[in-house]
Amino acid sequence: MLFGRGKKNPIKIADKKVSEWKYATCGYCSTGCSIEVGLNEAGKPVASRGVGGADVNRGKLCLKGIFEHELFDSAGRGTEPMMRDNFHDEWKTTDWDTALDKVHDEIRRVQEKYGRDSVAIISTGQMLTEEFYTLGKLTRGLIGTNNYDGNTTLCMSSAVSGYKRSFGSDGPPGCYEDFEHTDCLIAWGSNLPEQHPIIYWRMKEAQEARGFPLIVIDPRVTMLAQNADMHLAITPGTDVVLQNAMMHVILKEGLEDRRYIDANTNGIEELEAEVKNYDPTTAAKICGIDEDTIQNVARLFAKAGAAMQIWTMGINQSTHGSDGVVGINNLALITGNIGKPGGTSLSITGQCNAMGTREWSSCSGLPGFRYLEVPEHREEMAKFWNIDPEFFPKKRGLYQTDIYPAIETGQIKGLWLIATNPMSSLPNTARIRKSMEKLEFCVVQDCYQDTESAQYAHVYLPAGTWAEKEGVMTNTERRINVVKPVTKPHGNSKPDLWIFNRMAERFNKEGKVNFPEKAPDIFLEMAELSKGRLADISGMTHELLEKNRGVQWPYTEEQVKKGEAPPKGGKRIYTEDGTFSHPDGKAKLIPLPFIDNNEVPDDKFPFWLNTGRLIEHWHGRTKTGKLGNNNKYSPIPFAEINPDAAKELGIMAGDYVRLVSRRSDAILMAQLTQRVPKNMIFVPFHFYDCANRLTLGLLDPHSRQPAYKQSAVRIERIKDQKAAAKLSMEMREF
Ligand SMILES: Nc1nc2c(c(=O)[nH]1)N[C@H]1C(S)=C(S)[C@@H](COP(=O)(O)OP(=O)(O)OC[C@H]3O[C@@H](n4cnc5c(=O)[nH]c(N)nc54)[C@H](O)[C@@H]3O)O[C@H]1N2
Ligand SMILES: Nc1nc2c(c(=O)[nH]1)N[C@H]1C(S)=C(S)[C@@H](COP(=O)(O)OP(=O)(O)OC[C@H]3O[C@@H](n4cnc5c(=O)[nH]c(N)nc54)[C@H](O)[C@@H]3O)O[C@H]1N2
Ligand code: SF4
Ligand SMILES: [Mo]
């Protein structure tokens, strides 16, 4: 049968009968797209669209944003609080007061019996900033445990640590507009087209206009690598060696910016002495990139008028994560590429509000990039919150990744999980399961009740999500944008802010500490606290954020009063000489000796295991697994295997295989692809009981972030394919 052009039916876009559009900011990734949710006449969310006038996305959305309105009533949402005495028991529905009283009483019981720090609180990068700030006040000011951290330790802590070591403070210096000014872009371990599709689109548009070279450093042929001018398929975990070798070339050939180095940095002599050891010939043997390529990339980067580096989890999730970030910063500093248009070192953030938690949650310190270790910061915050400064710990407590071992050893007995699902996201599931089973008390506060971690909870608190709530989020480029309540929280679930405020009433019986009820008022409190700090937001209000479709910090009251405020906030930080946050105002150049400490392939486990993401899914799929339009692209777990390796092992495309690591095993479907080299397997970590059964997750010494991307496995072909298919499905039922 012939299909003539004229005979094709035109694509019909269904009329969703939207009667009103409401403003929000996307709640998935850190790109920070402005979104509008369409409501029909009955007030039901039926559509999503990008906002044309928004600086970030200029009308566009990716596959996740387009279907985000389907989340509100998706399967598995929590509707009522639930309780039980033992995690083996059936859940019993209860009312909010009973559930909240129980959480309060259990936290205090455990603390009285085992000490203040025996309860841990683990938060997230997926709430609104006012919620983070309120939880921080409750935890630091009233509950008083020091073991309070976020899932950002799995994600951004290497970036935070690297920024602090280099510049004296967290805070990404650049912005997306830098793509429009750059002459050279290096992307380290970042797969923008899949993980940050709209940032990718911004980058691609700029590249088409300016024609700058794109260099991608990633062991896998990602979608970004396919679009690169040069793809450097680096040996996993050796980025620091490549960075040192590039600096070796730059300094040896006199391509550095001496004026910038002398005026703005300390430590050039020590750095020079260290990178002398990394001549390209020696480095090539370790990092797998040939010496000519190392030299070419180093020269291209150093000779560019403005050169930009971005990175994501290929750098952060490594035993050298923090060092990798410092290495990127070193490269930027010695070439004078910080804070200038197109010349920057920009960490691409992960979760929608991972930046907000870094700025305001008090997880690793106190609000507004204040530290527990600094007496003046403790005094200032204690006065502001009306608490005794002595109540604050004098240094930060355990990182998230150290909390689970502390549960295993009995040091921690109670756990409050908020918008994070460690059973699916932490490495080495078997060990996390053991910890969860040992808890005397566990409360899970999540918008879905069917999470793997809720299986181990004694209390479940159903939370609202995304645009069922009101507040702000900060994106990758320090842009704060607002989320408005588009619809009521599902069932009898409540906004996280409401839950924290009701908990605060229980810990704050005398009413000493003030907890404003409404997000815009909390925002004003934060704005007050931000005055004169790096992340100064004192000129912002919710109304301004909505009107401007987001404003970048800093944006100060003083600028507004003088009429000098840039309309959309501060595009860059560290723009002027000598403005870094170390006490002397200078940035630090830090030598990075390479220590080879990863689990590497050997005879028994001959393949690298690399784990990461797909465009259609979000983390543990609590959200995207329920949305047909997302889930249909990859409904079942799979492993990418190189066809040549598969041939040697007798594996055909679509076969079920067993991956075995020193921790455990997992059954997945083989997808044969040249995306991975012959000695590597790539497994998306979205599916429960797959990637993280296998991962080792050694920790970075500075950031305590796990090396999710480097461990070793072997592949076994399964003889009985039918049984394997059945087992693979059963493993995902609970
Ligand atoms: N669709 C979708 N988008 C997301 C998310 C999601 O779940 N789904 N999650 C969000 C979050 S929280 C995050 S943190 C980001 C993550 O965003 P990305 O970091 O871009 O995504 P990943 O797939 O985790 O890893 C990126 C790349 O690191 C590479 N890599 C592995 N080992 C190394 C190495 O040793 N060196 C180098 N240079 N590269 C290496 C991997 O091959 C992979 O291609 O995505 C955000 N966006
Ligand atoms: N193997 C491997 N593992 C990894 C990674 C990897 O690359 N490889 N990446 C790591 C990284 S970068 C990250 S960020 C982590 C993510 O790890 P997790 O934080 O565990 O991932 P999520 O599945 O996003 O969990 C968030 C939970 O919050 C809930 N939630 C969403 N919105 C709200 C809300 O508004 N309120 C409340 N109360 N709950 C809400 C969701 O239903 C979900 O259960 O995974 C890490 N794990
Ligand atoms: S790029 Fe990120 S912020 Fe934008 S629509 Fe997609 S998931 Fe949402
Ligand atoms: Mo992340």
Side-chain angles (χ1 to χ4, degrees), residues 151 154-156 313 317 349-351 613 619:
N151 67 354
L154 313 177
C155 182
M156 301 316 300
M313 291 306 125
Q317 289 174 346
T349 317
Q351 305 162 84
R613 298 164 159 77
H619 299 171

Side-chain angles (χ1 to χ4, degrees), residues 281-450:
T281 320
T282 311
K285 291 194 184 104
I286 310 171
C287 71
I289 309 299
D290 68 85
E291 53 184 284
D292 277 345
T293 305
I294 297 176
Q295 278 162 347
N296 286 340
V297 171
R299 289 173 192 148
L300 205 60
F301 178 79
K303 288 181 182 171
M308 176 168 178
Q309 298 174 86
I310 58 169
W311 77 92
T312 321
M313 291 306 125
I315 291 291
N316 288 358
Q317 289 174 346
S318 148
T319 47
H320 310 101
S322 173
D323 280 358
V325 174
V326 171
I328 289 170
N329 294 339
N330 282 346
L331 272 164
L333 288 165
I334 65 165
T335 54
N337 278 303
I338 288 291
K340 76 177 185 198
T344 196
S345 131
L346 181 65
S347 145
I348 305 290
T349 317
Q351 305 162 84
C352 53
N353 202 15
M355 280 291 292
T357 193
R358 282 150 73 172
E359 293 153 10
W360 290 102
S361 71
S362 310
C363 271
S364 60
L366 292 166
F369 298 141
R370 290 176 176 84
Y371 302 121
L372 285 164
E373 291 77 4
V374 178
E376 299 80 58
H377 291 176
R378 295 198 302 269
E379 289 286 338
E380 198 184 351
M381 284 313 305
K383 202 165 155 210
F384 195 86
W385 283 344
N386 193 29
I387 62 162
D388 177 358
E390 285 307 308
F391 191 67
F392 287 138
K394 295 189 175 51
K395 62 182 199 176
R396 74 167 288 173
L398 295 176
Y399 284 74
Q400 187 204 5
T401 39
D402 292 312
I403 285 175
Y404 292 91
I407 297 171
E408 240 184 309
T409 58
Q411 187 188 332
I412 289 174
K413 302 280 190 185
L415 180 66
W416 182 4
L417 290 176
I418 303 149
T420 187
N421 186 9
M423 280 295 294
S424 103
S425 54
L426 277 161
N428 197 352
T429 315
R431 265 190 85 178
I432 303 303
R433 187 189 309 282
K434 259 195 214 156
S435 303
M436 296 295 284
E437 285 174 351
K438 269 196 90 170
L439 286 165
E440 270 190 25
F441 178 68
C442 175
V443 45
V444 167
Q445 176 174 330
D446 200 290
C447 52
Y448 288 87
Q449 63 186 22
D450 57 356

Side-chain angles (χ1 to χ4, degrees), residues 28-30 62 64 126 154-156 187-192 194-197 217-222 232 234-239 311-315 317-318 348-352 610-620 680 682 685-686 709-710:
Y28 281 112
C29 88
S30 69
C62 82
K64 292 177 295 306
Q126 298 177 49
L154 313 177
C155 182
M156 301 316 300
W188 301 85
S190 170
N191 187 12
L192 277 188
E194 292 206 61
Q195 270 56 84
H196 301 88
I217 299 162
D218 194 310
R220 185 170 162 249
V221 190
T222 58
L232 278 53
I234 194 164
T235 301
T238 63
D239 295 80
W311 77 92
T312 321
M313 291 306 125
I315 291 291
Q317 289 174 346
S318 148
I348 305 290
T349 317
Q351 305 162 84
C352 53
N610 179 1
T611 68
R613 298 164 159 77
L614 305 169
I615 185 168
E616 58 273 21
H617 279 308
W618 181 260
H619 299 171
M680 179 177 287
F682 178 81
F685 89 99
H686 304 296
K709 305 239 183 289
Q710 290 95 29

Side-chain angles (χ1 to χ4, degrees), residues 26 28-35 49-52 54-66 68 176-177 179-180 191-206 310 348 475-477 615:
C26 177
Y28 281 112
C29 88
S30 69
T31 302
C33 297
S34 289
I35 197 167
R49 68 178 185 193
V51 176
D55 280 356
V56 168
N57 53 316
R58 303 168 187 177
K60 294 208 164 22
L61 290 178
C62 82
L63 178 63
K64 292 177 295 306
I66 287 171
E68 209 160 352
Y176 307 154
E177 203 199 276
F179 295 126
E180 290 159 30
N191 187 12
L192 277 188
E194 292 206 61
Q195 270 56 84
H196 301 88
I198 302 299
I199 304 184
Y200 174 69
W201 168 70
R202 292 280 306 268
M203 191 284 287
K204 194 74 191 158
E205 272 217 332
I310 58 169
I348 305 290
N475 78 351
T476 288
E477 54 169 1
I615 185 168

